[in-house]
Amino acid sequence: MKAPKPIRILVVEDHFLVRIGLATAVEGEADLVIAGEAENGAQALERYRALQPDVVIMDLRLPSMDGVEVTRQLRLEAPEARVLMLTSFQGEQDVHRALQAGALGYVLKDMPRELLLQAIRAVRAGERFIPPQIATLVANRRAEEALSPRELEVLRLIAKGRSNKEVGSALFITEGTVKAHVVHILGKLHAIDRTQAVTTALRRGVIALD
């Protein structure tokens, strides 16, 4: 009886050592093979077109274009693409964004090898794979009103230590308008001050420091 073809994997990761680790993790598995690698989003799209892999292991944080945006573009171009998000981050907003973009699975880089292999096989089969601790974040995601694009801009500048006046100058809006945005941000994040708002947003993956 002819053996089934192995699951061909495209690894999208900008850190060489992580790519080596992933290759080592699947080594010796008869049903898994690394078909190719990419270091950034543009390469990922290019390699996918050329290789047509069965599963894409996608790093969440990539240079120029993050893994969520790459996944979104990939799924628009190839709806059949099966993406497993691999990351060090487990903020509830990160998880939500990844799944909204079309990722079927979401695993952390420090998870056991056996869990990674299980996730790859599940995603290849078209099944959603989310470990218990990540599933809890998804289940408990609070139904808070999302920050608007402008509020996100204001919050990112606040996270960089800018005053209301400096934020207003950077965004070409009045200081009073900035203060109004800050009030809305605090309310949506249930924060008592700017520092707590930034801390909460970073923890949940709403914003990220450059």
Side-chain angles (χ1 to χ4, degrees), residues 162-190:
R162 306 286 183 86
S163 67
N164 286 348
K165 184 175 181 179
E166 290 171 329
V167 171
S169 296
L171 298 179
F172 303 103
I173 56 179
T174 67
E175 188 174 353
T177 300
V178 175
K179 290 180 180 178
H181 284 312
V182 170
V183 170
H184 293 153
I185 291 168
L186 297 182
K188 290 179 179 181
L189 294 178
H190 298 298

PDB file of all heavy atoms in Angstrom, residues 162-190:
ATOM      1  N   ARG A 162       4.465  60.534  25.345  1.00  0.00           N
ATOM      2  CA  ARG A 162       4.078  61.864  24.866  1.00  0.00           C
ATOM      3  C   ARG A 162       2.983  62.473  25.746  1.00  0.00           C
ATOM      4  O   ARG A 162       2.075  61.789  26.198  1.00  0.00           O
ATOM      5  CB  ARG A 162       3.562  61.778  23.417  1.00  0.00           C
ATOM      6  CG  ARG A 162       4.519  61.112  22.438  1.00  0.00           C
ATOM      7  CD  ARG A 162       5.684  61.995  22.082  1.00  0.00           C
ATOM      8  NE  ARG A 162       6.538  61.353  21.092  1.00  0.00           N
ATOM      9  CZ  ARG A 162       6.349  61.404  19.780  1.00  0.00           C
ATOM     10  NH1 ARG A 162       5.319  62.087  19.292  1.00  0.00           N
ATOM     11  NH2 ARG A 162       7.175  60.786  18.957  1.00  0.00           N
ATOM     12  N   SER A 163       3.069  63.779  25.942  1.00  0.00           N
ATOM     13  CA  SER A 163       2.031  64.507  26.672  1.00  0.00           C
ATOM     14  C   SER A 163       0.840  64.733  25.745  1.00  0.00           C
ATOM     15  O   SER A 163       0.928  64.524  24.530  1.00  0.00           O
ATOM     16  CB  SER A 163       2.574  65.851  27.146  1.00  0.00           C
ATOM     17  OG  SER A 163       2.844  66.686  26.017  1.00  0.00           O
ATOM     18  N   ASN A 164      -0.280  65.193  26.319  1.00  0.00           N
ATOM     19  CA  ASN A 164      -1.460  65.479  25.483  1.00  0.00           C
ATOM     20  C   ASN A 164      -1.134  66.519  24.416  1.00  0.00           C
ATOM     21  O   ASN A 164      -1.573  66.405  23.270  1.00  0.00           O
ATOM     22  CB  ASN A 164      -2.616  65.982  26.364  1.00  0.00           C
ATOM     23  CG  ASN A 164      -3.253  64.870  27.174  1.00  0.00           C
ATOM     24  OD1 ASN A 164      -2.998  63.688  26.928  1.00  0.00           O
ATOM     25  ND2 ASN A 164      -4.083  65.242  28.139  1.00  0.00           N
ATOM     26  N   LYS A 165      -0.355  67.528  24.802  1.00  0.00           N
ATOM     27  CA  LYS A 165       0.010  68.576  23.848  1.00  0.00           C
ATOM     28  C   LYS A 165       0.849  67.994  22.711  1.00  0.00           C
ATOM     29  O   LYS A 165       0.635  68.318  21.534  1.00  0.00           O
ATOM     30  CB  LYS A 165       0.780  69.688  24.566  1.00  0.00           C
ATOM     31  CG  LYS A 165       1.117  70.877  23.676  1.00  0.00           C
ATOM     32  CD  LYS A 165       1.781  71.987  24.487  1.00  0.00           C
ATOM     33  CE  LYS A 165       2.090  73.199  23.597  1.00  0.00           C
ATOM     34  NZ  LYS A 165       2.720  74.292  24.385  1.00  0.00           N
ATOM     35  N   GLU A 166       1.798  67.128  23.056  1.00  0.00           N
ATOM     36  CA  GLU A 166       2.667  66.517  22.040  1.00  0.00           C
ATOM     37  C   GLU A 166       1.882  65.575  21.140  1.00  0.00           C
ATOM     38  O   GLU A 166       2.124  65.503  19.935  1.00  0.00           O
ATOM     39  CB  GLU A 166       3.805  65.757  22.727  1.00  0.00           C
ATOM     40  CG  GLU A 166       4.821  66.670  23.403  1.00  0.00           C
ATOM     41  CD  GLU A 166       5.812  65.915  24.254  1.00  0.00           C
ATOM     42  OE1 GLU A 166       5.448  64.850  24.806  1.00  0.00           O
ATOM     43  OE2 GLU A 166       6.959  66.391  24.392  1.00  0.00           O
ATOM     44  N   VAL A 167       0.929  64.859  21.722  1.00  0.00           N
ATOM     45  CA  VAL A 167       0.069  63.974  20.916  1.00  0.00           C
ATOM     46  C   VAL A 167      -0.735  64.802  19.926  1.00  0.00           C
ATOM     47  O   VAL A 167      -0.851  64.466  18.744  1.00  0.00           O
ATOM     48  CB  VAL A 167      -0.879  63.154  21.825  1.00  0.00           C
ATOM     49  CG1 VAL A 167      -1.905  62.403  20.977  1.00  0.00           C
ATOM     50  CG2 VAL A 167      -0.088  62.163  22.664  1.00  0.00           C
ATOM     51  N   GLY A 168      -1.288  65.906  20.411  1.00  0.00           N
ATOM     52  CA  GLY A 168      -2.068  66.775  19.540  1.00  0.00           C
ATOM     53  C   GLY A 168      -1.243  67.313  18.387  1.00  0.00           C
ATOM     54  O   GLY A 168      -1.699  67.335  17.244  1.00  0.00           O
ATOM     55  N   SER A 169      -0.012  67.730  18.666  1.00  0.00           N
ATOM     56  CA  SER A 169       0.864  68.248  17.612  1.00  0.00           C
ATOM     57  C   SER A 169       1.190  67.165  16.588  1.00  0.00           C
ATOM     58  O   SER A 169       1.205  67.420  15.385  1.00  0.00           O
ATOM     59  CB  SER A 169       2.170  68.781  18.230  1.00  0.00           C
ATOM     60  OG  SER A 169       1.912  69.874  19.080  1.00  0.00           O
ATOM     61  N   ALA A 170       1.439  65.953  17.066  1.00  0.00           N
ATOM     62  CA  ALA A 170       1.803  64.858  16.164  1.00  0.00           C
ATOM     63  C   ALA A 170       0.648  64.456  15.267  1.00  0.00           C
ATOM     64  O   ALA A 170       0.851  64.076  14.102  1.00  0.00           O
ATOM     65  CB  ALA A 170       2.277  63.651  16.978  1.00  0.00           C
ATOM     66  N   LEU A 171      -0.585  64.565  15.787  1.00  0.00           N
ATOM     67  CA  LEU A 171      -1.763  64.119  15.029  1.00  0.00           C
ATOM     68  C   LEU A 171      -2.544  65.280  14.413  1.00  0.00           C
ATOM     69  O   LEU A 171      -3.577  65.066  13.791  1.00  0.00           O
ATOM     70  CB  LEU A 171      -2.685  63.302  15.948  1.00  0.00           C
ATOM     71  CG  LEU A 171      -2.091  62.011  16.531  1.00  0.00           C
ATOM     72  CD1 LEU A 171      -3.104  61.314  17.437  1.00  0.00           C
ATOM     73  CD2 LEU A 171      -1.627  61.065  15.425  1.00  0.00           C
ATOM     74  N   PHE A 172      -2.033  66.509  14.634  1.00  0.00           N
ATOM     75  CA  PHE A 172      -2.685  67.711  14.087  1.00  0.00           C
ATOM     76  C   PHE A 172      -4.121  67.869  14.596  1.00  0.00           C
ATOM     77  O   PHE A 172      -5.051  68.174  13.837  1.00  0.00           O
ATOM     78  CB  PHE A 172      -2.666  67.681  12.550  1.00  0.00           C
ATOM     79  CG  PHE A 172      -1.286  67.572  11.977  1.00  0.00           C
ATOM     80  CD1 PHE A 172      -0.819  66.360  11.489  1.00  0.00           C
ATOM     81  CD2 PHE A 172      -0.429  68.664  11.946  1.00  0.00           C
ATOM     82  CE1 PHE A 172       0.468  66.243  10.975  1.00  0.00           C
ATOM     83  CE2 PHE A 172       0.856  68.563  11.431  1.00  0.00           C
ATOM     84  CZ  PHE A 172       1.309  67.342  10.949  1.00  0.00           C
ATOM     85  N   ILE A 173      -4.289  67.639  15.898  1.00  0.00           N
ATOM     86  CA  ILE A 173      -5.582  67.848  16.545  1.00  0.00           C
ATOM     87  C   ILE A 173      -5.344  68.677  17.806  1.00  0.00           C
ATOM     88  O   ILE A 173      -4.215  68.805  18.277  1.00  0.00           O
ATOM     89  CB  ILE A 173      -6.280  66.520  16.911  1.00  0.00           C
ATOM     90  CG1 ILE A 173      -5.366  65.658  17.805  1.00  0.00           C
ATOM     91  CG2 ILE A 173      -6.674  65.752  15.659  1.00  0.00           C
ATOM     92  CD1 ILE A 173      -5.990  64.335  18.242  1.00  0.00           C
ATOM     93  N   THR A 174      -6.406  69.256  18.359  1.00  0.00           N
ATOM     94  CA  THR A 174      -6.247  70.114  19.522  1.00  0.00           C
ATOM     95  C   THR A 174      -6.000  69.289  20.786  1.00  0.00           C
ATOM     96  O   THR A 174      -6.336  68.097  20.846  1.00  0.00           O
ATOM     97  CB  THR A 174      -7.495  70.982  19.749  1.00  0.00           C
ATOM     98  OG1 THR A 174      -8.590  70.129  20.119  1.00  0.00           O
ATOM     99  CG2 THR A 174      -7.860  71.755  18.496  1.00  0.00           C
ATOM    100  N   GLU A 175      -5.420  69.950  21.783  1.00  0.00           N
ATOM    101  CA  GLU A 175      -5.171  69.270  23.053  1.00  0.00           C
ATOM    102  C   GLU A 175      -6.485  68.834  23.692  1.00  0.00           C
ATOM    103  O   GLU A 175      -6.572  67.773  24.318  1.00  0.00           O
ATOM    104  CB  GLU A 175      -4.399  70.202  23.991  1.00  0.00           C
ATOM    105  CG  GLU A 175      -3.927  69.512  25.267  1.00  0.00           C
ATOM    106  CD  GLU A 175      -3.037  70.414  26.114  1.00  0.00           C
ATOM    107  OE1 GLU A 175      -2.675  71.519  25.648  1.00  0.00           O
ATOM    108  OE2 GLU A 175      -2.711  70.011  27.247  1.00  0.00           O
ATOM    109  N   GLY A 176      -7.531  69.640  23.507  1.00  0.00           N
ATOM    110  CA  GLY A 176      -8.845  69.287  24.044  1.00  0.00           C
ATOM    111  C   GLY A 176      -9.383  68.011  23.406  1.00  0.00           C
ATOM    112  O   GLY A 176      -9.988  67.171  24.085  1.00  0.00           O
ATOM    113  N   THR A 177      -9.156  67.854  22.107  1.00  0.00           N
ATOM    114  CA  THR A 177      -9.601  66.642  21.408  1.00  0.00           C
ATOM    115  C   THR A 177      -8.836  65.429  21.924  1.00  0.00           C
ATOM    116  O   THR A 177      -9.406  64.348  22.112  1.00  0.00           O
ATOM    117  CB  THR A 177      -9.390  66.784  19.890  1.00  0.00           C
ATOM    118  OG1 THR A 177     -10.151  67.900  19.418  1.00  0.00           O
ATOM    119  CG2 THR A 177      -9.842  65.525  19.160  1.00  0.00           C
ATOM    120  N   VAL A 178      -7.541  65.622  22.174  1.00  0.00           N
ATOM    121  CA  VAL A 178      -6.730  64.527  22.735  1.00  0.00           C
ATOM    122  C   VAL A 178      -7.294  64.109  24.091  1.00  0.00           C
ATOM    123  O   VAL A 178      -7.443  62.917  24.367  1.00  0.00           O
ATOM    124  CB  VAL A 178      -5.257  64.950  22.889  1.00  0.00           C
ATOM    125  CG1 VAL A 178      -4.469  63.846  23.596  1.00  0.00           C
ATOM    126  CG2 VAL A 178      -4.640  65.248  21.535  1.00  0.00           C
ATOM    127  N   LYS A 179      -7.610  65.092  24.936  1.00  0.00           N
ATOM    128  CA  LYS A 179      -8.158  64.780  26.257  1.00  0.00           C
ATOM    129  C   LYS A 179      -9.457  63.984  26.146  1.00  0.00           C
ATOM    130  O   LYS A 179      -9.698  63.046  26.913  1.00  0.00           O
ATOM    131  CB  LYS A 179      -8.403  66.078  27.037  1.00  0.00           C
ATOM    132  CG  LYS A 179      -7.121  66.784  27.479  1.00  0.00           C
ATOM    133  CD  LYS A 179      -7.438  68.062  28.239  1.00  0.00           C
ATOM    134  CE  LYS A 179      -6.154  68.764  28.671  1.00  0.00           C
ATOM    135  NZ  LYS A 179      -6.427  70.039  29.373  1.00  0.00           N
ATOM    136  N   ALA A 180     -10.292  64.337  25.162  1.00  0.00           N
ATOM    137  CA  ALA A 180     -11.551  63.609  24.951  1.00  0.00           C
ATOM    138  C   ALA A 180     -11.263  62.162  24.543  1.00  0.00           C
ATOM    139  O   ALA A 180     -11.916  61.225  25.021  1.00  0.00           O
ATOM    140  CB  ALA A 180     -12.386  64.309  23.879  1.00  0.00           C
ATOM    141  N   HIS A 181     -10.279  61.978  23.669  1.00  0.00           N
ATOM    142  CA  HIS A 181      -9.906  60.623  23.257  1.00  0.00           C
ATOM    143  C   HIS A 181      -9.397  59.813  24.450  1.00  0.00           C
ATOM    144  O   HIS A 181      -9.714  58.629  24.593  1.00  0.00           O
ATOM    145  CB  HIS A 181      -8.830  60.661  22.167  1.00  0.00           C
ATOM    146  CG  HIS A 181      -9.336  61.040  20.818  1.00  0.00           C
ATOM    147  ND1 HIS A 181     -10.458  60.462  20.248  1.00  0.00           N
ATOM    148  CD2 HIS A 181      -8.860  61.925  19.898  1.00  0.00           C
ATOM    149  CE1 HIS A 181     -10.652  60.976  19.040  1.00  0.00           C
ATOM    150  NE2 HIS A 181      -9.705  61.870  18.814  1.00  0.00           N
ATOM    151  N   VAL A 182      -8.602  60.473  25.311  1.00  0.00           N
ATOM    152  CA  VAL A 182      -8.052  59.786  26.482  1.00  0.00           C
ATOM    153  C   VAL A 182      -9.181  59.315  27.402  1.00  0.00           C
ATOM    154  O   VAL A 182      -9.150  58.193  27.931  1.00  0.00           O
ATOM    155  CB  VAL A 182      -7.072  60.694  27.250  1.00  0.00           C
ATOM    156  CG1 VAL A 182      -6.686  60.060  28.592  1.00  0.00           C
ATOM    157  CG2 VAL A 182      -5.825  60.964  26.415  1.00  0.00           C
ATOM    158  N   VAL A 183     -10.176  60.154  27.591  1.00  0.00           N
ATOM    159  CA  VAL A 183     -11.335  59.783  28.422  1.00  0.00           C
ATOM    160  C   VAL A 183     -12.007  58.534  27.855  1.00  0.00           C
ATOM    161  O   VAL A 183     -12.344  57.594  28.592  1.00  0.00           O
ATOM    162  CB  VAL A 183     -12.345  60.947  28.513  1.00  0.00           C
ATOM    163  CG1 VAL A 183     -13.651  60.466  29.154  1.00  0.00           C
ATOM    164  CG2 VAL A 183     -11.769  62.096  29.322  1.00  0.00           C
ATOM    165  N   HIS A 184     -12.194  58.507  26.541  1.00  0.00           N
ATOM    166  CA  HIS A 184     -12.830  57.349  25.899  1.00  0.00           C
ATOM    167  C   HIS A 184     -11.961  56.099  26.041  1.00  0.00           C
ATOM    168  O   HIS A 184     -12.471  55.006  26.288  1.00  0.00           O
ATOM    169  CB  HIS A 184     -13.090  57.638  24.419  1.00  0.00           C
ATOM    170  CG  HIS A 184     -14.106  58.690  24.190  1.00  0.00           C
ATOM    171  ND1 HIS A 184     -14.133  59.480  23.055  1.00  0.00           N
ATOM    172  CD2 HIS A 184     -15.147  59.111  24.944  1.00  0.00           C
ATOM    173  CE1 HIS A 184     -15.140  60.329  23.120  1.00  0.00           C
ATOM    174  NE2 HIS A 184     -15.772  60.121  24.262  1.00  0.00           N
ATOM    175  N   ILE A 185     -10.659  56.278  25.882  1.00  0.00           N
ATOM    176  CA  ILE A 185      -9.723  55.152  26.006  1.00  0.00           C
ATOM    177  C   ILE A 185      -9.779  54.555  27.409  1.00  0.00           C
ATOM    178  O   ILE A 185      -9.855  53.331  27.582  1.00  0.00           O
ATOM    179  CB  ILE A 185      -8.282  55.598  25.666  1.00  0.00           C
ATOM    180  CG1 ILE A 185      -8.162  55.919  24.173  1.00  0.00           C
ATOM    181  CG2 ILE A 185      -7.275  54.521  26.059  1.00  0.00           C
ATOM    182  CD1 ILE A 185      -6.882  56.645  23.797  1.00  0.00           C
ATOM    183  N   LEU A 186      -9.743  55.411  28.422  1.00  0.00           N
ATOM    184  CA  LEU A 186      -9.791  54.949  29.805  1.00  0.00           C
ATOM    185  C   LEU A 186     -11.079  54.176  30.076  1.00  0.00           C
ATOM    186  O   LEU A 186     -11.074  53.127  30.732  1.00  0.00           O
ATOM    187  CB  LEU A 186      -9.678  56.127  30.780  1.00  0.00           C
ATOM    188  CG  LEU A 186      -8.372  56.934  30.757  1.00  0.00           C
ATOM    189  CD1 LEU A 186      -8.407  58.029  31.819  1.00  0.00           C
ATOM    190  CD2 LEU A 186      -7.171  56.029  30.971  1.00  0.00           C
ATOM    191  N   GLY A 187     -12.172  54.688  29.540  1.00  0.00           N
ATOM    192  CA  GLY A 187     -13.451  54.022  29.747  1.00  0.00           C
ATOM    193  C   GLY A 187     -13.511  52.654  29.083  1.00  0.00           C
ATOM    194  O   GLY A 187     -13.970  51.672  29.680  1.00  0.00           O
ATOM    195  N   LYS A 188     -13.023  52.567  27.852  1.00  0.00           N
ATOM    196  CA  LYS A 188     -13.081  51.300  27.113  1.00  0.00           C
ATOM    197  C   LYS A 188     -12.156  50.245  27.700  1.00  0.00           C
ATOM    198  O   LYS A 188     -12.447  49.048  27.633  1.00  0.00           O
ATOM    199  CB  LYS A 188     -12.739  51.550  25.644  1.00  0.00           C
ATOM    200  CG  LYS A 188     -13.812  52.330  24.891  1.00  0.00           C
ATOM    201  CD  LYS A 188     -13.410  52.569  23.441  1.00  0.00           C
ATOM    202  CE  LYS A 188     -14.496  53.328  22.691  1.00  0.00           C
ATOM    203  NZ  LYS A 188     -14.147  53.566  21.268  1.00  0.00           N
ATOM    204  N   LEU A 189     -11.037  50.694  28.276  1.00  0.00           N
ATOM    205  CA  LEU A 189     -10.077  49.751  28.846  1.00  0.00           C
ATOM    206  C   LEU A 189     -10.265  49.559  30.351  1.00  0.00           C
ATOM    207  O   LEU A 189      -9.512  48.825  30.980  1.00  0.00           O
ATOM    208  CB  LEU A 189      -8.647  50.226  28.565  1.00  0.00           C
ATOM    209  CG  LEU A 189      -8.215  50.243  27.096  1.00  0.00           C
ATOM    210  CD1 LEU A 189      -6.795  50.768  26.969  1.00  0.00           C
ATOM    211  CD2 LEU A 189      -8.321  48.855  26.470  1.00  0.00           C
ATOM    212  N   HIS A 190     -11.266  50.236  30.914  1.00  0.00           N
ATOM    213  CA  HIS A 190     -11.528  50.182  32.353  1.00  0.00           C
ATOM    214  C   HIS A 190     -10.268  50.525  33.145  1.00  0.00           C
ATOM    215  O   HIS A 190      -9.907  49.849  34.120  1.00  0.00           O
ATOM    216  CB  HIS A 190     -12.040  48.797  32.759  1.00  0.00           C
ATOM    217  CG  HIS A 190     -13.336  48.426  32.107  1.00  0.00           C
ATOM    218  ND1 HIS A 190     -14.508  49.127  32.303  1.00  0.00           N
ATOM    219  CD2 HIS A 190     -13.633  47.419  31.251  1.00  0.00           C
ATOM    220  CE1 HIS A 190     -15.478  48.572  31.600  1.00  0.00           C
ATOM    221  NE2 HIS A 190     -14.974  47.539  30.947  1.00  0.00           N
TER     222      HIS A 190
END
